[in-house]
């Protein structure tokens, strides 16, 4: 059996909370899964970035749980051809 660190357990718990919250909001589930899959490749040793993303995820979860939230927004960084 695999033993997870405290931070890994927190991230898995956050993911489960997102899945539960997305149950009532159509269209949210694919975005949540994509975001977690994209960040799954971050090395375990990069604790600062993982903690930053975890805190950001907690804030996004609170926003998502708000009754008035209908969509998730995203900022996309594009490269300028200057």
């Amino acid at each position: 059996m695999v033993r997870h660190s405290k931070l890994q357990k927190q991230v898995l718990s956050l993911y489960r909370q997102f899945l539960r919250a997305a149950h009532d909001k159509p269209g949210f589930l694919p975005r949540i899964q994509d975001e977690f899959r994209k960040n799954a490749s971050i090395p375990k040793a990069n604790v600062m970035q993982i903690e930053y993303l975890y805190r950001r995820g907690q804030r996004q979860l609170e926003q998502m749980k708000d009754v008035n939230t209908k969509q998730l927004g995203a900022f996309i960084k594009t490269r300028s051809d200057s």
Side-chain angles (χ1 to χ4, degrees):
M1 186 168 154
V2 177
R3 303 196 88 190
H4 295 293
S5 70
K6 181 180 178 184
L7 185 57
Q8 286 174 316
K9 289 178 183 177
Q10 289 174 324
V11 170
L12 291 171
S13 174
L14 182 66
Y15 182 63
R16 285 191 298 274
Q17 290 175 50
F18 264 108
L19 294 179
R20 279 189 223 106
H23 181 69
D24 299 332
K25 307 225 180 212
F28 279 50
L29 189 60
R31 169 77 191 282
I32 292 165
Q33 291 171 330
D34 288 344
E35 191 71 24
F36 273 85
R37 285 186 184 125
K38 180 182 77 172
N39 292 320
S41 62
I42 297 172
K44 292 178 186 178
N46 197 345
V47 176
M48 294 296 285
Q49 185 178 8
I50 295 169
E51 287 180 346
Y52 164 76
L53 290 170
Y54 175 74
R55 287 190 303 275
R56 190 176 113 199
Q58 286 180 313
R59 288 190 302 273
Q60 288 176 335
L61 179 62
E62 289 306 313
Q63 289 177 342
M64 193 174 118
K65 285 181 177 179
D66 185 3
V67 177
N68 298 317
T69 302
K70 305 291 183 220
Q71 291 180 309
L72 285 177
F75 292 104
I76 301 173
K77 188 167 119 178
T78 59
R79 187 171 20 162
S80 177
D81 294 336
S82 303

